[in-house]
Amino acid sequence: MRMLKNFLVCFFVFFLLFREETNAQKAKPKLIVGLVIDQMRWDYLHRYEKRYSKNGFKRLLRQGYSFDQTYLSYMPSLTAIGHASIFTGSVPAIHGIVGNEWYDQQTGKMKYCVEDSLVHSVGTTSNAGKMSPRNLLATTITDELLLATNFRSKVIGISLKDRAAILPAGHRPTGAFWIDDTSGDFVTSSWYMNSLPSWVQQFNNRKLPKTYMEKGWETLYPIDTYIQSTKDEVVWERPFPKDKKTSFPYDTKRFYEDNPGLIRNTPFGNTLILEFAKAALAANEMGKGNETDFLSINCASTDYVGHQFSTNSVEIEDTYLRLDRDLENFFTYLDKTIGKDNYLLFLTADHGGAHAVNYLREHKFEAGLLQSKTFIKPLNLVLEEKFGVKNLVKSIYNYQVNYNHMVIAEKKLDFPAIKRETINFLKFKEGVQYVIDNDDIENSSAPERLREMVRNGYNYRGSGSVTVIPFPGWFDGPIRGGTHGVWNPADTHIPLIFMGWNISKGNSNKKVNVTDIAPTLASMLNIQVPNGCIGEVLKFTK
Ligand SMILES: [Zn+2]
C-alpha cells in the first residue's frame, strides 16, 4: 500500500514537472510575422468587407484581437517614419527617421532615409542596393529579439521598397530584401551579406513579375458591382506612364516591358511579396528552430495604387480584394508549415491615405492643395528686407520650413525673430491652419494633440524648424492621385490586429498609439523593450 502511495506521489510529481516542461515550451511563439500594409486606412477593413473572403481580412477580425483606435502619434505621416515607429516603439524625435527623405540641417543636403554611400549593392549593378539602416538611431523589436537570443533567432525584412524592408528588420538581421526596378529582381546590400543567397537567386529566376504582369489587370468581379464604380475614368486619377486612360482594363504586359518596376503600381506587387515571404520562410527554416524567428513583410502596392488612383477608386478596391485573397493563401500556408497556434501575426499600417482633392471638391467638401513651393520666394523677400540676407529659407519639405543655418550662424542673425517673421507670413496663406515654431511648441494655440504630434515628429538634426499645418482636407501634393503626410485621421488612423499564438478574439476601442506595438511584443516575448521606446504595453481586455 505504502509502495503504491509512494509510486503515486512520484508519478504525480513527475506529471507536474512534465506539464511544466510542455508549458515552458509553449511559452514563446515559433515565429512572429509583422505584416505592414502600406497606406492602409483603418476603414478599409470594413469598407469592402462584404466581398472579403472568409479567411483573409475577415479571419483576422474573426479570430484576432483588433485595436480599432490606433493612431500615429507624430507628424508627418510617411512610410519610413511609420516603419521605424512601429518597430522601435518610438517617434522621429528619438529614432531619427524624420521622413522618407529630409533636409540635413547641418550640411544643407537632402538625405534619403536608408541611403548609405559606405555599402554596395548585392544582386544588381544598379545603385538600388546602396542602402542600410545606418540612419536609424534606436533599436527595433527585431534587434532586441536578436540581442535576447545572442543572434540565434532569424530575422528577415522584405518589401518592394528598400526602406520598408530595412527599417523593420533592424541593424543586424539575417537579411533584408527589396526589388530593383531595372529587373524586378530582389536585391540587398553589403551591409547584410556579400552575395545574394541561393534561395533569392532561385526565386528571381522564376521571373514571377513577368508572369503576373503578362496576364493584364482586369477587375476581379464585374466592374459595375464595385462600390467605387460610379465613375472609373476621372480626372483626379493618374494614368500609367505613356498611357492616357485611368480605367480598366490595364495593359500591364506593356507596362512591364517598359519598366519592370511598374509591378509596384498593380495588385501583383502584393502577390509577389507574399510569394517571396513563403520562399524566405522555407529556405531559412523560419519557425522551425528553438528560438522565436521574426519575418517582417510590407505589402507596398496598396500605397503605389493609392498614390496613383487615390482612395475612392475601383483600382484601390480591386487591389484590396486581391490582397485579401493573397492573405488567405498566405495564412493557410502559415497554418500548414508553422502550425496555427505556433505563430503570432500582427497586421498594421505605416500610415493611411487622403481622398483626392478634386474628388472631394466634386462632392462639395472643403479641400485644396497647399502650394507650399510658391510660398518660398515671397517669404525670402520678406526675410531679406528684414534681416538683410538673401534666400534664408532653403525649402519647405514634409510640411517643415528649412533654413540656411550656416548663414544664420555666420551673420549672427536672430533666429527666433526669423521664425516669428516666417509664421506671420505663412499663417494667413490659403489652406494654412497653424504655423508652429518647433523650438517653442508650447506657445502655439494649436490643440494639445497636434502640439504633441509636432513635438514627437521634430528632430532638430533632420526636421525643419517651423511646421505648417493645413486645413483638414488640404495637403501638399499632386492634383492627380492621392497622398498622405498630415496629422488628420485619414492619414493617421491605422489598423492593428494580432492573431495566432496566445491571442483570443476581441477588440478594443481605447485610443492607442503606433508606438505601443513594439513594447507589447517585447512583453509577450519576455525581452527588453527597444532602447528608444516611449510606447506602452497594450491591454487585451475581454
Ligand atoms: Zn505613400
Side-chain angles (χ1 to χ4, degrees), residues 38-39 78-79 100 161 163 303-304 307 350-352 483-484:
D38 215 303
Q39 204 187 114
L78 300 166
T79 291
N100 289 332
K161 295 178 177 176
R163 54 188 181 275
D303 184 61
Y304 292 106
H307 279 292
D350 50 348
H351 54 74
T483 194
H484 50 87

Side-chain angles (χ1 to χ4, degrees), residues 436-509:
I436 299 178
D437 178 349
N438 293 344
D439 301 304
D440 190 21
I441 294 165
E442 298 318 310
N443 274 329
S444 162
S445 59
E448 176 50 31
R449 178 68 178 176
L450 269 64
R451 284 186 277 156
E452 184 192 357
M453 289 174 82
V454 172
R455 201 184 301 127
N456 285 342
Y458 179 51
N459 185 306
Y460 58 75
R461 289 171 190 272
S463 315
S465 311
V466 165
T467 294
V468 183
I469 298 178
F471 292 150
W474 281 65
F475 55 76
D476 209 346
I479 189 76
R480 302 189 103 180
T483 194
H484 50 87
V486 292
W487 73 271
N488 308 73
D491 289 2
T492 58
H493 184 195
I494 53 170
L496 174 60
I497 308 178
F498 292 82
M499 180 179 83
W501 176 84
N502 263 4
I503 302 291
S504 29
K505 179 195 159 50
N507 74 305
S508 164
N509 275 319

